[in-house]
Amino acid sequence: MKKTKLLTSVAALALVLGLGACETGDININVDLGGDDSSDTAGADTSSEEGEHEHTWGEWVTDVAATCEEDGTQKRTCTVCGQEETDVIPATGHQPGTEIVKKDEFGHYFECTVCGYLILEDHTFTGDTYVDEYYHSNTCTVCQYGGLQVHEAPSNLDNKCVCGAELNITGLTYKYDDSLGGYAIPAATKDAEKETIYTGTGETLFIPKQYIDDDGVAHDVVGISKASKADYGAFASAFGTLKNVGLPSTFTYIGAYAFGQASGLGTLERVNIPAHVTYIGEAAFKYESLKTVSFASYGDLETIYDGAFTSAPFTDTEDLVLPESLKEIGKTAFQKCTSIKTVHFGYKLETIGSSGFNGCSALDWVILPDSLQSLGSGTFNTLNTVYYGGTAEQWELVDTDTVFSTTIPNCKIYYYSETQASGCWYYGEEGTPTLW
């Protein structure tokens, strides 16, 4: 009886101590009561289960760093028990710089200062305002993209420009071109077709963005198909009538002899080269009376092929600005364009073919980029000064046929340097070449 009372008291004491104990400790109570009833407690585990504890965490350690677009991971460890915990590091998002590095019809672009990704921001336009029969005005208030823009007809069934101008789109033929993967203005393939490709008579023509077929399906008009010779060109029949042509933003290709003439001067005076045109074919505008041609500064044009603008007077384009994307200028491409006084080449230009600017009598100096790899014979024959964007050693690799020393031996060549050096130049005020 005494033993039973004692056991009861011990049990009660254990309960009290257990409730008051530190969460991180274990309680072990061993009581030797003596006597013969030791078998009542023999082999019993009187310790409590391991208790939980409040973790003491160390610093977060990055496992995988987050990028602009991808999440990362991090972990930390409890300094008491060693348990690890992981967590997500959210993607940082792109960090746009302050300078606009590109602009096109989709918007203007800022370069991410972390990864170089181009971040697109929509234009904020002032609104389309009619200017004249060829242009309307619409300018982005942020990047000034736009300004004067050539009118554009939505389709062969809709001739109304966004500015409200009603445009001439008559006399055109549309045909699927396998080589272009889309609908184009076709070239003639035989004499009987020469007068049927274009049957219009107006002085100003706009090629629509889309061709809607007899089933009502809309197709982008992607270019003008190449012809095998001048009198097979898509607009050969327009000789003597057509003065202004508006090409749509859907164009990617202008084929050989598109508007070019076999001889004499055509009447075409004004044309635009849309931003997504990558190729202008052989003699595409040869012997036309072009006063002005406008290239998209931030376009995709890579090749202006042989004779593309031969003998175009360019009386309203003394300062010819070629796209930054341009890589190749073919033979005689701008030969005898007598009104051009300055030419701005992009930083990707690699080749200028033979006689590319031969006979450009008003052209006195040029800046040639260090990306240039080859010059054909007689490329220039009127220059007095060349400002080359590279070193003398680089120039020797470009002028392998001693084009300048044989064709224009009195032309002075200066090399670019960011530090003062004799015989070198740098960009002065307003980007003009200046000798040290």
Side-chain angles (χ1 to χ4, degrees), residues 105-124:
E105 70 267 34
F106 301 112
H108 41 262
Y109 301 79
F110 298 89
E111 187 174 59
C112 176
T113 57
V114 178
C115 69
Y117 179 82
L118 293 185
I119 304 161
L120 174 64
E121 181 178 89
D122 291 339
H123 291 307
T124 303

Side-chain angles (χ1 to χ4, degrees), residues 103 272-280 293-304 309 319-329 334 343-350 357 369 371:
K103 47 189 174 181
N272 64 303
I273 308 300
H276 296 303
V277 169
T278 61
Y279 181 91
I280 299 176
V293 58
S294 56
F295 295 94
S297 299
Y298 294 92
D300 299 325
L301 184 63
E302 293 187 350
T303 302
I304 298 176
F309 295 96
D319 186 13
L320 179 64
V321 181
L322 297 172
E324 295 290 336
S325 55
L326 188 62
K327 293 181 179 180
E328 178 183 4
I329 298 173
F334 292 93
V343 181
H344 296 265
F345 298 107
Y347 64 91
K348 294 182 179 180
L349 184 66
E350 297 176 356
F357 291 86
S371 57

Side-chain angles (χ1 to χ4, degrees), residues 15 46 56 58 79 99 119 129 191 198 203 217 220 233 312 364 378 402 432:
L15 177 61
T46 59
T56 303
T79 58
E99 181 181 354
I119 304 161
T129 305
D191 288 347
Y198 174 67
E203 290 186 352
V217 179
D220 285 348
D364 182 66
T402 60
T432 56

Side-chain angles (χ1 to χ4, degrees), residues 227-267:
S228 59
K229 55 182 180 178
D231 57 352
Y232 280 12
F235 292 93
S237 62
F239 183 84
T241 58
L242 200 57
K243 289 187 176 181
N244 307 293
V245 172
L247 303 180
S249 58
T250 50
F251 259 34
T252 62
Y253 183 92
I254 300 173
Y257 303 105
F259 297 91
Q261 306 299 322
S263 61
L265 275 181
T267 53

Side-chain angles (χ1 to χ4, degrees), residues 185-399:
I185 309 301
T189 57
K190 54 187 177 182
D191 288 347
E193 295 177 346
K194 289 193 297 184
E195 302 299 320
T196 65
I197 301 301
Y198 174 67
T199 58
T201 57
E203 290 186 352
T204 301
L205 172 72
F206 294 90
I207 298 176
K209 292 173 62 176
Q210 292 189 319
Y211 164 63
I212 299 177
D213 63 24
D214 293 340
D215 296 324
V217 179
H219 310 273
D220 285 348
V221 181
V222 298
I224 301 173
S225 298
K226 65 180 179 182
S228 59
K229 55 182 180 178
D231 57 352
Y232 280 12
F235 292 93
S237 62
F239 183 84
T241 58
L242 200 57
K243 289 187 176 181
N244 307 293
V245 172
L247 303 180
S249 58
T250 50
F251 259 34
T252 62
Y253 183 92
I254 300 173
Y257 303 105
F259 297 91
Q261 306 299 322
S263 61
L265 275 181
T267 53
L268 186 63
E269 296 180 354
R270 183 164 53 177
V271 70
N272 64 303
I273 308 300
H276 296 303
V277 169
T278 61
Y279 181 91
I280 299 176
E282 179 181 359
F285 299 95
K286 186 176 183 179
Y287 296 135
E288 284 290 2
S289 298
L290 284 173
K291 293 181 179 180
T292 182
V293 58
S294 56
F295 295 94
S297 299
Y298 294 92
D300 299 325
L301 184 63
E302 293 187 350
T303 302
I304 298 176
Y305 205 61
D306 299 352
F309 295 96
T310 297
S311 295
F314 286 124
T315 51
D316 294 340
T317 315
E318 294 181 352
D319 186 13
L320 179 64
V321 181
L322 297 172
E324 295 290 336
S325 55
L326 188 62
K327 293 181 179 180
E328 178 183 4
I329 298 173
K331 300 174 183 177
T332 70
F334 292 93
Q335 186 180 42
K336 297 181 180 179
C337 296
T338 54
S339 294
I340 296 175
K341 291 184 177 181
T342 57
V343 181
H344 296 265
F345 298 107
Y347 64 91
K348 294 182 179 180
L349 184 66
E350 297 176 356
T351 301
I352 305 177
S354 300
S355 300
F357 291 86
N358 192 287
C360 295
S361 54
L363 191 61
D364 182 66
W365 62 272
V366 293
I367 298 175
L368 294 177
D370 61 359
S371 57
L372 194 63
Q373 298 177 12
S374 66
L375 289 167
S377 60
T379 306
F380 302 96
N381 69 336
T382 62
L383 296 181
N384 288 317
T385 308
V386 169
Y387 300 98
Y388 177 57
T391 65
E393 291 75 19
Q394 288 175 290
W395 177 252
E396 289 180 3
L397 298 176
V398 174
D399 192 19

Side-chain angles (χ1 to χ4, degrees), residues 2 7-8 16 28 68 80-81 104 139 182 195 200 202 220 235 240 267 281 343 411 426:
K2 290 182 178 179
L7 287 172
T8 302
V16 172
N28 294 302
C68 293
V80 176
C81 68
D104 57 26
T139 305
E195 302 299 320
D220 285 348
F235 292 93
T267 53
V343 181
C411 180
Y426 65 99

